[in-house]
Amino acid sequence: MNRFYKLFFLITIIIVGCKGPDLSNKKFSQVIDEFDMNIYSTDGKKILTIKSPNSNYDRENNIFNLEKTTIFLFKGKMKEYLITSNNGTLTNNKLVELNGNVSLNALLKEENTLKANYFWWDVNKSEYLLKDNVIFKNKTITLSSNKAIMNKSSNVIEFFKPVKYKMKANNAKSGYEIKSKNAYYNIDNKSLIFSSKGERVRSKLYF
């Protein structure tokens, strides 16, 4: 009888000591080749198409992790902008975050290029945030700062101080001029305004 209880006690210890695999810290992800997704507004208009040759989907957090991202932004049925980057994420199908060699290129108007190392956008809003070595170029001007916000509705880019700029009409060998105020560049009428909060406009340039 004592042998039976000893054997029962030993089996109980073995059962209690054995644990199943710990899944609490594991992430459930799905590898997706040739990722291609269209995102639409609430009224059915296409906002963007986002593509990546290599990606994975974090199902637990609803995040797509994307490599070598390519994004087309639409105006009506026309592709208005092309955005590329080294990698990025799409969270909850509405938050776009890009990192590394971000380049935003105009497709419908005169060649405008906006580059940075970081890009963030809520697709339900009209403002893009760009940070870290932001550079805007077209045929007439080059502007650079460490942070900028582009408003897609107004086509105005706000560059946060200090801002460096250079007109292409000037001697190509001349250096940049530096302003200690924010700069506002209007893509449509090619005007550049330097101002700061609480002050009237100090200078306004047209090209």
Side-chain angles (χ1 to χ4, degrees):
M1 199 68 167
N2 289 336
R3 290 181 180 179
F4 172 77
Y5 282 115
K6 287 180 180 179
L7 180 61
F8 177 78
F9 181 70
L10 179 61
I11 294 173
T12 303
I13 291 175
I14 293 173
I15 295 174
V16 173
C18 294
K19 292 184 178 180
D22 184 7
L23 301 179
S24 59
N25 294 322
K26 289 185 177 291
K27 291 185 176 181
F28 296 90
S29 62
Q30 176 184 358
V31 175
I32 303 173
D33 293 328
E34 301 302 329
F35 176 87
D36 190 337
M37 176 184 285
N38 296 320
I39 296 178
Y40 296 84
S41 64
T42 54
D43 57 359
K45 295 180 181 179
K46 185 187 287 188
I47 300 174
L48 63 91
T49 295
I50 183 167
K51 299 181 179 183
S52 169
N54 302 295
S55 64
N56 68 76
Y57 176 50
D58 179 350
R59 289 181 290 174
E60 183 179 1
N61 297 300
N62 196 17
I63 298 175
F64 291 95
N65 296 289
L66 312 169
E67 295 182 8
K68 298 179 181 179
T69 55
T70 299
I71 300 174
F72 290 101
L73 307 182
F74 285 81
K75 183 177 183 180
K77 295 182 179 181
M78 303 292 291
K79 295 177 180 177
E80 185 176 18
Y81 287 99
L82 165 64
I83 307 176
T84 57
S85 71
N86 289 349
N87 55 74
T89 60
L90 175 64
T91 304
N92 296 324
N93 291 345
K94 70 171 187 176
L95 300 179
V96 177
E97 186 173 19
L98 305 177
N99 289 280
N101 294 316
V102 180
S103 181
L104 189 152
N105 300 277
L107 300 177
L108 296 180
K109 298 183 180 180
E110 132 179 53
E111 185 177 346
N112 295 310
T113 301
L114 186 58
K115 295 185 177 182
N117 286 320
Y118 177 82
F119 174 97
W120 187 91
W121 178 36
D122 180 339
V123 301
N124 295 318
K125 299 180 180 179
S126 62
E127 291 186 339
Y128 314 140
L129 170 65
L130 298 104
K131 295 172 67 176
D132 192 9
N133 196 27
V134 182
I135 300 175
F136 172 83
K137 288 184 178 181
N138 62 19
K139 293 180 180 180
T140 57
I141 193 170
T142 298
L143 287 150
S144 67
S145 70
N146 202 48
K147 177 183 175 183
I149 293 177
M150 177 177 174
N151 189 310
K152 190 170 180 288
S153 296
S154 64
N155 267 340
V156 172
I157 307 172
E158 178 182 5
F159 297 87
F160 290 79
K161 63 181 183 181
V163 179
K164 296 193 297 183
Y165 75 100
K166 179 169 63 176
M167 272 75 104
K168 299 293 180 67
N170 292 347
N171 189 326
K173 296 182 180 180
S174 63
Y176 284 90
E177 295 188 42
I178 300 176
K179 291 284 187 178
S180 59
K181 298 182 181 297
N182 288 5
Y184 301 82
Y185 184 79
N186 189 305
I187 296 173
D188 292 331
N189 60 29
K190 300 178 183 178
S191 66
L192 177 63
I193 298 173
F194 291 99
S195 69
S196 60
K197 292 182 178 180
E199 291 185 350
R200 294 183 178 181
V201 173
R202 289 291 186 89
S203 57
K204 189 171 185 177
L205 308 174
Y206 288 92
F207 307 96

